[in-house]
Amino acid sequence: MTARTIATASICLVAAACGGTGAVVVGSGGNGVSSGPNGIASIASSSGSAPAPVTSHTPAKMGVEVWLTRGGKLFPLTRGVTVTKAVIGAAVQALLSGPTRAERARSAVPAGTQLLGISLHGGVATVDLTSDFTAGGSAGSERLRLAQLVYTATQFHGVRGVLLHLDGAPVTALSDGLVLANPMTRRSMGFPELAPAISVTSPQAGATVQAPFTVRGVADVFEAGLTFKLLDASGHELSSGASAASCGTGCPGTFSFTIDELGISHIQDGTLVISSANASGLPDGGEHLRLPLVLLPPFNVTSPQPGATLTTPATIAVSESSAPVVLVRIVDAQLHVLARRVVHDACAGCYGRIGTQSRVRLPFSVAGLQQGYVIVSPLHVTPNSGGQVVEIPG
């Protein structure tokens, strides 16, 4: 079996009571541009993810970056929009709709601003908004809302800049004397000062994740180089690796990487740390981003806890399983199987249903006190086996 598909908890095995071992959990395993109707361009997302096929029943969705604000700085998140030929317009419309309460973000774009149209010529998108866009605020807030618009529109390959129209008329300066670049890009008007060096568009801070999951974001770092590590609730490293942004050293680029497995057996808080090197090549002097997450194992072993003492017969409790049929095993330090039991209907897909779990009692025999493990792994029924449950090979 693969490490991704098991949850393993270290325990103390003994036929009678013994002291705790202090053991810990040991593991578980360039897009094209085409002209759309009304002059609105159709451009594939820079993330490179192909949109889901459109069906006649349910409109397909795709993820786009929407740049909002947090603490007076730009903050990206991913919004799902219906796949249309006017994908730039869909992204800008998502920006104008403002943040949701769950997103814990703000926007400098005034409420009530409406999108009148978008056209694309020579890599420059002309965005026509209602004059509500300039309502209220200082020159600082106006610059921030312009940066939100520019970063949202220029996430797509083929869009390098933005021109602003209000109520159908071109705009070269706002009421507070803020002069607009022609065109506005991510590098103009001090916009880079408003953007973090590393930002993650998905998953969002505090999101619940289960392996495998993909991390996507935007970075403007030295030579586009990035490293990452995922830490468990105790600060132990679960996964690490390297990635790279599509552009760096003076220009923001997108990045993505996938974390294939989590070496945990219990739901817990975790932290994703993404770092860059500086010009000296030393990672300690670079940029760092810490993203809090909730880590979900493939099987949540609620009992026994890591390091617990296990006596015969042992009670194993599994909740919130990722498979309907699982194999529960007790093994010794050399991984010799001491007891095993197949559990059907192991609460598949019941994440979030508190108190719902499957329990199994397993008698075992062991000579003296020693280290051991509880291993939970998925099973499936083969089509021609007459209903026999077999372990998934890895």
Side-chain angles (χ1 to χ4, degrees):
M1 76 198 72
T2 64
R4 282 187 299 184
T5 58
I6 66 174
T8 309
S10 175
I11 54 175
C12 170
L13 295 174
V14 69
C18 69
T21 65
V24 298
V25 175
V26 296
S28 76
N31 298 320
V33 181
S34 59
S35 177
N38 303 320
I40 298 180
S42 168
I43 301 182
S45 170
S46 62
S47 66
S49 301
V54 178
T55 69
S56 59
H57 304 290
T58 304
K61 295 284 187 176
M62 67 178 294
V64 297
E65 293 173 16
V66 177
W67 286 80
L68 298 175
T69 69
R70 184 177 290 174
K73 298 285 187 178
L74 292 175
F75 174 76
L77 53 84
T78 300
R79 282 272 182 86
V81 300
T82 301
V83 176
T84 72
K85 292 183 178 180
V87 65
I88 308 177
V92 173
Q93 190 62 59
L95 167 66
L96 300 182
S97 68
T100 66
R101 180 176 299 179
E103 289 167 344
R104 295 179 295 175
R106 296 182 178 274
S107 178
V109 177
T113 303
Q114 299 180 37
L115 175 64
L116 301 179
I118 295 179
S119 61
L120 181 68
H121 302 285
V124 176
T126 298
V127 181
D128 190 7
L129 304 175
T130 58
S131 56
D132 306 271
F133 184 74
T134 61
S138 61
S141 67
E142 288 181 339
R143 185 164 69 109
L144 189 55
R145 72 188 65 164
L146 287 169
Q148 287 182 247
L149 176 63
V150 169
Y151 272 68
T152 298
T154 58
Q155 67 182 281
F156 304 101
H157 288 306
V159 183
R160 60 178 179 84
V162 174
L163 295 175
L164 178 64
H165 284 199
L166 295 177
D167 294 331
V171 177
T172 58
L174 298 186
S175 57
D176 284 333
L178 184 63
V179 177
L180 277 57
N182 183 20
M184 293 180 289
T185 70
R186 292 192 177 193
R187 306 305 303 171
S188 61
M189 302 179 60
F191 291 159
E193 302 171 5
L194 303 175
I198 305 171
S199 55
V200 172
T201 57
S202 67
Q204 294 297 302
T208 299
V209 295
Q210 184 180 30
F213 66 94
T214 299
V215 178
R216 294 183 173 88
V218 179
D220 183 355
V221 296
F222 176 67
E223 293 186 347
L226 296 167
T227 60
F228 66 88
K229 56 184 177 181
L230 182 64
L231 309 177
D232 66 10
S234 301
H236 298 132
E237 185 177 298
L238 300 174
S239 180
S240 63
S243 183
S246 60
C247 188
T249 313
C251 65
T254 58
F255 66 86
S256 68
F257 55 85
T258 298
I259 294 179
D260 291 317
E261 59 185 61
L262 299 178
I264 57 174
S265 62
H266 298 75
I267 297 174
Q268 60 188 275
D269 293 333
T271 305
L272 177 65
V273 182
I274 305 177
S275 305
S276 71
N278 61 11
S280 67
L282 299 176
D284 290 343
E287 303 288 344
H288 302 277
L289 175 129
R290 297 178 65 89
L291 184 73
L293 297 170
V294 177
L295 308 180
L296 212 59
F299 309 98
N300 187 32
V301 182
T302 57
S303 178
Q305 291 294 306
T309 298
L310 207 61
T311 59
T312 187
T315 298
I316 314 298
V318 181
S319 72
E320 303 169 309
S321 170
S322 62
V325 184
V326 299
L327 174 65
V328 179
R329 286 172 290 175
I330 299 175
V331 302
D332 63 16
Q334 288 72 44
L335 303 184
H336 298 138
V337 177
L338 305 177
R340 55 184 285 152
R341 180 81 49 86
V342 172
V343 180
H344 292 265
D345 192 23
C347 192
C350 65
Y351 282 107
R353 286 166 48 188
I354 303 300
T356 307
Q357 59 185 355
S358 298
R359 291 180 177 272
V360 57
R361 287 172 61 85
L362 290 178
F364 65 93
S365 177
V366 63
L369 169 65
Q370 61 175 282
Q371 183 86 13
Y373 304 93
V374 169
I375 300 178
V376 181
S377 54
L379 300 174
H380 72 279
V381 178
T382 59
N384 301 318
S385 65
Q388 179 184 0
V389 177
V390 298
E391 188 171 350
I392 297 175

